[in-house]
Amino acid sequence: MKLVAQNYQSGGLSVLDVPPPACRPGGVLVGSLFSLISTGTEMMKVREAQLSLAGKARARPDQVRKVVDSVAQLGPVAAYRKVTSRLDSYTPLGYSLCGVVIEVGPGADEFAKGQLVACAGNEYALHAEVNWVPTNLCAAVPPGVPARLAAFATVGAIAMHGVRRAEVQLGDTACVVGLGLVGQLVVQLLIASGVRVVGLDVVGDRCARAEQAGALICANPEDAGIDRIDRWISDTNGGLGVDHVFLAAGSASSEPVHAAARLARDRARVVDIGKCRLDLPWNEYYEKELDVRFSRSYGPGRYDDRYELDGIDYPAGYVRWTERRNLECFLDLVRTGAIDVDSLVSAVFPVEQAVEVYERLDGGALKGVGYLFRYAAATEPSPATVSICTDRTASTPRPAPRRSVGSTLRIGFIGAGNYATSMLLPHLDGTTGVELVHVATRTSLSAFNAQRRFGFTRASTDPADILDDETIDAVFIVTRHDSHADFTCRALECGKSVFVEKPLALDTDELTRVLDVAASSGNDRVMVGFNRRFAPLLAELTTRFGPLGGAASARYLVNAGPLETRSWYADDEREGSRFVGEGGHFIDTLSWWLGSRPTQVHAMRAGHGDDLQITISFDDGSIAGLTYLTNGNARYPKETIEISASGRTARLDNFRRASIWAGRRRRTMYARGSVDKGQRQQVRQFLDAVRSGGPMPIPLASLAATTKATLAVAQSLATGEPQPT
């Protein structure tokens, strides 16, 4: 299918041919009829991508700080690989469309095949022929509303939420600064609410358009227009000033906020809807005690995954106007004629002309406010329909896998996020005797990006295409945590060798199922991505340290740092706790070095945060203290390991430096190059095992023991008591 996207590294725009999305639970597949170009938001994104690397850094200083922190913890090479992996990929455009439901996923039964819907979301309502959209980002289009006008619903909801944030009343006076698409809709919504409206914009045609819609006076502030507006307000409003100012401009200038201060009455409300520079003049805003408010996108529910993805609505008695109810309300206003959207349609273009359209918008050749892409009449395509979020029922067992393979090892990848594309796939790309056959991801564009960068023969959004392909020898599972156990079981039953990222399971039931499937299918060819034990510097350290010579004492300090806002790692209910997600790395490393299995864990939490202090006992009498910190400084090294035994002590400093103290001597070793945590070595050993049919690099019993110990941490925290593993 066709999808409009931009390469963030080069800034180049393309209409790509990508695999269609799968229909997942909690949403519907929508065949697009019209999608709206946001001449403000989208063009800002397009222009940012066209900046030089230094320009991108200036535009996103928050991302620069993350890069600097990554260099401090990972080293320059690994940080560079991580950054370039994100930059050299296509990102989609679009967030407002109207189309026809072509398939209904489980849990979305309120919609029906063939129904006309308006859709929202910059991850879901894309400029694409087919989109999967969650239910709370869909709204049924009322009879009589043309599809091309319903495509404006998302931008209409943005304008509507801004008006609601101002709490306007009948008879109020408002000034709209910036009369682009959102500003025009704000003007009409205010007029429909019984508010007198004035406007400011540097484009004369936009001022005229707003006056035609009912604004009383609009002017260009650069031509002394603000003086005209000021006099009009003084003559008609008793010199009070306006009750509300709506900043709907996208500007690098702070002039809009100065204009707001000049025109506003005492204690007026200033609502920021666009993205203009907010260098607020303190004296002017203080003296009038202006109430500055932000309007966040389409309304309550935005950026809340529980609402947007899980479909959990807010009760109307507590939150009257959610983003979905705003969509529905706007569509109803279009139906009744209270809002005239048709007058805002400047032109409609076939989606195939998207690159030319964006170039003309960027060059100023298109000066209207509302532009649409048109798609072929929605017909049912043949996308993958097997849900990525599959149920837990087992597949029909197949014969045990071959213990050796042909001269070419055929690989499939389920999932291709940032970790897979920066830490795993680079070690497979171009490897002799390895063929990257198929990649399946949750979204169409991520599958396309992985295929383009690493040369997969096929790409799709359906994992079953990989699992059912009998020619594929090994499967890499690099998805979110809640799917690891299920995909592992299905792959084992299909006779594949499996590399699954940690964690192997989120609870004991999942772990039991994996072990049962391995036993019943005769296929125990599983490798979990516990890569630390393969790190070259750590391997050298343990070799030089020699046998422990008895029980040892160990300390492992992990400076994990805080999670990013809205990180899926923080979704404890679905993905497991953060420690369950990555704690297996550290327990596996200790078990490997000590050559012993964990028998008991005792975990304590610092206050109410996520900082943990864990004591682990091993079956040879060794003991280890694992400190897991989320509140430490981002520049402090992430991992430090110390082990003492038989009068000797070893220390590993973040895989950069290692030291051994023995007798009166100290020996120090350094990493060759950047930080290497063993990803390349673990991939190579896994491939060698699959080729030869030899043992997996980590025995299944060890993987199970590490997983049990990791899960026991949560049990210990809940009970306050030590837990056996």
Side-chain angles (χ1 to χ4, degrees):
M1 71 170 190
K2 294 180 176 62
L3 179 145
V4 181
Q6 183 176 34
N7 185 288
Y8 193 74
Q9 186 173 50
S10 67
L13 286 157
S14 300
V15 179
L16 304 175
D17 186 13
V18 302
C23 188
R24 308 202 300 269
V28 292
L29 276 185
V30 177
S32 302
L33 295 175
F34 295 92
S35 61
L36 177 67
I37 304 172
S38 171
T39 53
T41 303
E42 285 186 56
M43 290 311 300
M44 180 174 62
K45 183 177 179 180
V46 167
R47 288 165 184 148
E48 181 180 300
Q50 293 170 343
L51 296 172
S52 65
L53 193 58
K56 289 183 175 76
R58 286 191 294 269
R60 296 297 304 273
D62 57 323
Q63 298 300 317
V64 173
R65 286 192 293 272
K66 292 178 183 178
V67 171
V68 172
D69 292 342
S70 292
V71 171
Q73 288 204 342
L74 302 177
V77 174
Y80 176 80
R81 188 187 301 124
K82 183 178 179 181
V83 170
T84 54
S85 175
R86 290 191 175 184
L87 285 177
D88 186 21
S89 60
Y90 281 91
T91 58
L93 296 173
Y95 62 85
S96 184
L97 66 80
C98 179
V100 174
V101 175
I102 57 178
E103 187 176 343
V104 178
D109 298 335
E110 62 192 282
F111 295 100
K113 188 175 176 179
Q115 187 175 14
L116 191 66
V117 291
C119 306
N122 60 355
E123 295 180 42
Y124 309 106
L126 309 174
H127 297 311
E129 290 183 303
V130 180
N131 286 281
W132 178 83
V133 188
T135 56
N136 275 344
L137 291 174
C138 274
V141 177
V145 176
R148 73 180 188 284
L149 304 186
F152 282 76
T154 307
V155 179
I158 293 172
M160 180 173 288
H161 183 54
V163 171
R164 295 194 195 284
R165 290 287 293 140
E167 301 178 56
V168 300
Q169 300 183 70
L170 287 168
D172 282 350
T173 302
C175 177
V176 180
V177 182
L179 297 172
L181 180 56
V182 172
Q184 296 288 337
L185 291 170
V186 169
V187 167
Q188 292 197 41
L189 289 166
L190 289 169
I191 293 169
S193 303
V195 176
R196 297 183 299 174
V197 181
V198 298
L200 290 170
D201 198 286
V202 295
V203 180
D205 289 346
R206 293 179 177 179
C207 291
R209 188 185 296 270
E211 289 181 346
Q212 291 170 5
L216 299 173
I217 181 173
C218 297
N220 184 342
E222 294 181 355
D223 296 333
I226 193 170
D227 295 330
R228 290 175 51 214
I229 298 288
D230 203 6
R231 287 194 299 270
W232 183 92
I233 294 170
S234 179
D235 293 342
T236 60
N237 203 30
L240 289 177
V242 299
D243 302 290
H244 314 280
V245 180
F246 295 88
L247 302 177
S251 172
S253 167
S254 59
E255 287 305 312
V257 299
H258 287 278
R262 175 175 174 180
L263 299 177
R265 66 164 169 80
D266 187 61
R267 294 176 176 81
R269 296 189 183 104
V270 179
V271 179
D272 179 42
I273 303 176
K275 190 177 181 181
C276 62
R277 187 170 180 175
L278 290 178
D279 291 338
L280 301 179
W282 187 87
N283 284 337
E284 298 167 49
Y285 276 67
Y286 172 81
E287 289 170 2
K288 289 188 175 182
E289 199 173 353
L290 297 180
D291 183 357
V292 179
R293 300 183 176 186
F294 288 87
S295 177
R296 189 170 66 183
S297 200
Y298 329 141
R302 191 71 180 110
Y303 308 116
D304 179 356
D305 287 347
R306 292 298 187 192
Y307 177 89
E308 293 190 336
L309 297 182
D310 296 344
I312 300 175
D313 200 0
Y314 304 150
Y318 292 90
V319 183
R320 177 63 185 93
W321 294 107
T322 60
E323 55 184 332
R324 179 172 173 180
R325 291 195 272 268
N326 278 338
L327 290 169
E328 294 168 340
C329 181
F330 182 81
L331 289 168
D332 194 59
L333 291 174
V334 175
R335 179 188 64 81
T336 62
I339 300 294
D340 177 18
V341 176
D342 209 3
S343 64
L344 301 178
V345 179
S346 302
V348 181
F349 301 97
V351 70
E352 292 81 359
Q353 297 179 12
V355 174
E356 177 188 351
V357 171
Y358 280 111
E359 289 174 350
R360 292 173 66 189
L361 283 169
D362 193 30
L366 298 177
K367 300 182 180 299
V369 293
Y371 294 97
L372 295 163
F373 288 134
R374 180 180 67 248
Y375 301 80
T379 57
E380 186 169 1
S382 55
T385 57
V386 176
S387 167
I388 289 180
C389 301
T390 55
D391 61 31
R392 300 291 177 172
T393 58
S395 307
T396 302
R398 299 188 181 185
R402 294 164 292 174
R403 289 301 175 182
S404 61
V405 298
S407 58
T408 299
L409 187 60
R410 293 169 58 84
I411 302 292
F413 256 73
I414 302 176
N418 192 55
Y419 184 82
T421 56
S422 62
M423 296 298 181
L424 296 178
L425 280 166
H427 304 316
L428 289 165
D429 187 25
T431 301
T432 302
V434 171
E435 180 183 354
L436 298 178
V437 178
H438 197 138
V439 58
T441 66
R442 183 181 290 266
T443 66
S444 303
L445 197 52
S446 59
F448 172 86
N449 280 325
Q451 183 182 35
R452 176 184 67 89
R453 290 184 58 199
F454 299 104
F456 283 95
T457 305
R458 297 190 299 278
S460 74
T461 57
D462 186 3
D465 290 342
I466 294 174
L467 299 174
D468 292 339
D469 187 342
E470 295 183 0
T471 70
I472 289 179
D473 302 301
V475 176
F476 281 72
I477 299 168
V478 201
T479 54
R480 291 191 176 183
H481 299 163
D482 67 328
S483 62
H484 285 186
D486 187 58
F487 279 139
T488 298
C489 290
R490 291 169 61 189
L492 291 175
E493 289 167 340
C494 291
K496 315 292 186 191
S497 294
V498 178
F499 181 106
V500 58
E501 259 308 314
K502 47 78 192 166
L504 176 60
L506 293 181
D507 55 44
T508 54
D509 288 342
E510 287 189 344
L511 178 60
T512 299
R513 184 187 167 205
V514 171
L515 297 177
D516 288 347
V517 168
S520 63
S521 67
N523 181 9
D524 62 356
R525 312 287 289 162
V526 182
M527 168 73 172
V528 178
F530 296 143
N531 53 278
R532 267 64 168 180
R533 62 163 69 195
F534 301 99
L537 184 59
L538 181 56
E540 182 182 359
L541 176 63
T542 57
T543 298
R544 293 186 181 279
F545 190 82
L548 297 176
S553 296
R555 184 175 73 91
Y556 203 142
L557 174 64
V558 181
N559 181 37
L563 289 174
E564 295 183 10
T565 305
R566 299 186 69 230
S567 170
W568 61 268
Y569 245 91
D571 188 352
D572 288 1
E573 287 186 32
R574 177 180 292 143
E575 307 297 343
S577 71
R578 186 178 180 190
F579 185 81
V580 166
E582 71 169 342
H585 272 316
F586 319 120
I587 295 175
D588 174 77
T589 302
L590 290 167
S591 298
W592 164 75
W593 194 346
L594 296 171
S596 181
R597 301 278 174 84
T599 57
Q600 178 181 277
V601 300
H602 188 191
M604 292 179 288
R605 190 188 307 275
H608 299 287
D610 292 326
D611 289 358
L612 305 179
Q613 185 67 48
I614 305 162
T615 302
I616 308 171
S617 301
F618 293 85
D619 59 12
D620 69 343
S622 296
I623 191 168
L626 173 55
T627 303
Y628 186 80
L629 301 177
T630 61
N631 267 331
N633 187 281
R635 303 289 182 87
Y636 189 81
K638 181 176 179 180
E639 298 176 46
T640 305
I641 309 173
E642 294 177 352
I643 285 187
S644 296
S646 303
R648 293 163 294 154
T649 298
R651 176 185 173 99
L652 179 75
D653 291 301
N654 207 32
F655 300 89
R656 292 175 181 269
R657 181 179 63 184
S659 300
I660 298 173
W661 287 262
R664 302 179 64 83
R665 298 180 58 192
R666 171 184 174 181
R667 179 167 189 166
T668 301
M669 297 151 279
Y670 296 90
R672 298 175 181 87
S674 187
V675 172
D676 185 344
K677 294 185 180 181
Q679 284 90 354
R680 178 188 296 275
Q681 290 75 16
Q682 73 165 350
V683 167
R684 285 181 174 175
Q685 290 195 32
F686 172 72
L687 297 180
D688 290 343
V690 176
R691 281 196 187 96
S692 66
M696 286 285 111
I698 306 176
L700 182 58
S702 176
L703 299 177
T706 295
T707 303
K708 288 177 182 177
T710 307
L711 296 174
V713 169
Q715 298 165 2
S716 179
L717 289 172
T719 63
E721 300 292 334
Q723 294 294 316
T725 63

